[in-house]
Every structure is written in structure tokens, then in C-alpha cells.
Amino acid sequence: MTTTPLRIAVLGIGMMGLPMARRLSEAGHRVHVWNRTRAKAEPLVRHGITVDNTPAEAVREADVVISLLENGPVVGHVLFDLAAARSMRKDALFVDMASIQPSEARDHAARLGELGVAHLDAPVSGGTVGAEAGTLAIMVGGRSEDFARAQPVFEHLGRATHVGPHGAGQLAKLANQMIVGITIGAVAEALLFAAKGGADMAKVREAIGGGFADSRILQLHGQRMVERDFAPRGRMAVQLKDLRNAMATARETGFDAPITALFEALYAEGVEHGLGELDHSGLFVELASRNAMQ
């Protein structure tokens, strides 16, 4: 049990939200949750968590409100159209752990500030494995004093780093997703290249492990490619959304991102070919198809 339990509301109970809400409850915090499809949140009741019918109900008494919603427009809809923002206490802290555009995060922070509600954008990396284990990398934008206020929440979810003002957390997450998406493509293309020439793909992955080409992507996603295991952990469609957000932000800031643009197009073609619900390592399938290696 934590010595200073907080009242926490979690909006959005999916693959990430469910284990994170459970961890916060197990740490001794009083947790309310809301999800558009209530049935997905019902398993949390056995963990002492209250499932509310509306986001406004869930946030009403909360010290900290956590968003794990699908995208920026959905976050804005829940906050400002479904009355969550108006229902929060004046001294509440809204922690948006969804992956949205930095400009959207800055807009939400300004609008919440007018209502007396503090804001942090705090997207995460680490997937469902990190959410279950409490080992997420949390990239946080906002005021340093609000970052300090959020520590009793962050400490049960992973390692949090304050990276700058409002929107900076989302910039860090987009940078993370650029690296992930591009590296998945590099690993997939290299393994397929080796296999096309007659090498054993599994052995190639083993041989280059530990050298300069080694990475967590090679180890984890490379193994999925070898095994043709594309059950979704992080979906192709979500990876595409993140790369599109990165490109939109690049255009806003006048930044030339040719490598990200290339991979945005590759993931888009994979999604157009029906691969959107595969794990993001499923870009391998798109590249294999191009080379008649199915």
C-alpha cells in the first residue's frame, strides 16, 4: 500500500489501460475507470476498481486523470464534448498518456489551463509487456512542478523522464516511433535479403546479434519475423498513425524527414493490403510479398 493514496481516473481501458489501471489499484490508489465499451473494463471490478458509465463520472473526484485514448481527436472529444474537462476538480492533474500530435497536446494544455486543470503529455513506450511489468519508458512534457506531482503515479508504471514543455513528451514519443518503425523495416528487409540469396534467416539473425547491427528490434521483432508470429502487440495501423503524426509535425516545423516519409509510405501500403491488424513487425509480410517470398 502507498502511504498517500490518490484518487485516480483512467480513461480508455485497452491493452495498455487495463494492466496500468490494475497496477495503480494494487499500489493502493483509489481507481475509477471509463471505457467506451464498458465490457472491456468490467474485469477490473474484481481488483477493487470502480467502472463508471461516463468519463464525467469517472473524473469527478479524481486527483489525477490518466488518458489512454486512441488519438488526439478522441482525447479532445472526451475532454471537451463529453464534459470530462468541466467535471474535473480545479486542482486536478490531467496526464495524457495517449500518443497524439504535439500541437494537439499544447492545445489541450491551454484549454485545460483555462479551467484550472494542470496538464502533462506523457506518452509511453514498452508495449503491453512493459505495462504489465511496470517498466514503461514515459516521456513527459509540461511544467516541472506538475511532473513532480505525477511521480506517485509514474513510479508504479515505469521510468519517467521530463523532456521539456507541453508537447515535448509527444515529440519524444514520435522520435521513438520513427526509430522503431524504421528499424523494423531495416531488420525485415535485411533478413529477407539474406534469405533470398540462400542464407538461413534464423541463423543470420543469430550471427549478427551482439555486433553493431544488434538491437532490441532485431532480438524481439526479428524473432517474430523468423517465426512468422505477427499476433498484434503494437499494430501496423497504429505504427502508421504515429509516422503520419511525425510527418505532420515535421511539416509544421519545416523539418525535412525523407527516411520517415519513405516508411510512412511502406506502412501505408501494408495497411492498404489488409495488414493493419498485424503486429507492426508485419511490415515483413509487405516486404516479403514485394519479393514473392510468401
Side-chain angles (χ1 to χ4, degrees):
M1 290 283 289
T2 181
T3 56
T4 55
L6 295 170
R7 294 167 293 189
I8 300 174
V10 179
L11 308 178
I13 302 301
M15 294 174 67
M16 299 291 285
L18 191 144
M20 292 166 75
R22 187 174 63 236
R23 286 189 64 84
L24 291 170
S25 178
E26 290 170 351
H29 298 298
R30 292 168 49 194
V31 180
H32 282 239
V33 301
W34 170 82
N35 194 62
R36 181 177 57 185
T37 305
R38 182 186 172 100
K40 292 183 178 179
E42 288 292 349
L44 290 170
V45 172
R46 70 174 69 101
H47 298 279
I49 293 172
T50 301
V51 179
D52 290 302
N53 290 318
T54 68
E57 291 175 12
V59 307
R60 189 162 289 126
E61 299 299 324
D63 303 300
V64 178
V65 177
I66 296 173
S67 160
L68 287 156
L69 299 166
E70 184 176 1
N71 54 44
V74 172
V75 175
H77 175 67
V78 170
L79 280 175
F80 305 113
D81 297 333
L82 299 186
R86 293 196 305 273
S87 300
M88 290 184 212
R89 293 166 37 190
K90 295 296 182 185
D91 59 347
L93 173 61
F94 181 73
V95 181
D96 192 359
M97 305 187 89
S99 295
I100 69 175
Q101 292 189 34
S103 59
E104 292 171 324
R106 291 189 291 268
D107 175 66
H108 297 165
R111 295 173 69 181
L112 287 170
E114 293 173 356
L115 298 172
V117 175
H119 174 282
L120 293 173
D121 50 289
V124 302
S125 180
T128 54
V129 173
E132 292 279 358
T135 58
L136 294 167
I138 309 170
M139 298 149 269
V140 188
R143 299 187 306 173
S144 57
E145 55 266 41
D146 294 325
F147 177 73
R149 285 177 61 190
Q151 286 306 308
V153 174
F154 292 150
E155 67 183 4
H156 299 294
L157 303 178
R159 175 182 56 84
T161 303
H162 185 219
V163 296
H166 294 299
Q170 297 298 345
L171 282 169
K173 177 59 186 288
L174 290 178
N176 179 88
Q177 292 305 92
M178 290 162 72
I179 293 169
V180 168
I182 291 166
T183 308
I184 285 174
V187 169
E189 186 166 281
L191 292 180
L192 285 164
F193 167 80
K196 187 76 168 181
D200 183 321
M201 191 165 63
K203 291 297 184 182
V204 170
R205 174 185 164 277
E206 180 182 335
I208 63 180
F212 277 176
D214 202 0
S215 67
R216 185 167 176 79
I217 298 293
L218 176 68
Q219 294 300 323
L220 182 62
H221 295 79
Q223 185 63 28
R224 293 176 189 172
M225 295 170 192
V226 167
E227 296 175 351
R228 306 297 201 276
D229 174 14
F230 302 115
R233 290 83 164 179
R235 293 182 294 118
M236 284 271 287
V238 174
Q239 181 70 58
L240 175 59
K241 178 205 75 171
D242 290 338
L243 293 179
R244 284 177 168 165
N245 282 344
M247 289 306 301
T249 300
R251 288 189 291 272
E252 289 173 8
T253 59
F255 180 77
D256 184 18
I259 300 172
T260 303
L262 171 62
F263 279 88
E264 178 197 12
L266 289 172
Y267 279 96
E269 290 185 21
V271 170
E272 288 171 8
H273 295 154
L275 309 179
E277 295 305 309
L278 296 186
D279 186 79
H280 50 177
S281 59
L283 185 60
F284 177 94
V285 178
E286 172 65 22
L287 296 175
S289 177
R290 286 170 172 241
N291 287 281
M293 295 175 67
Q294 297 288 27

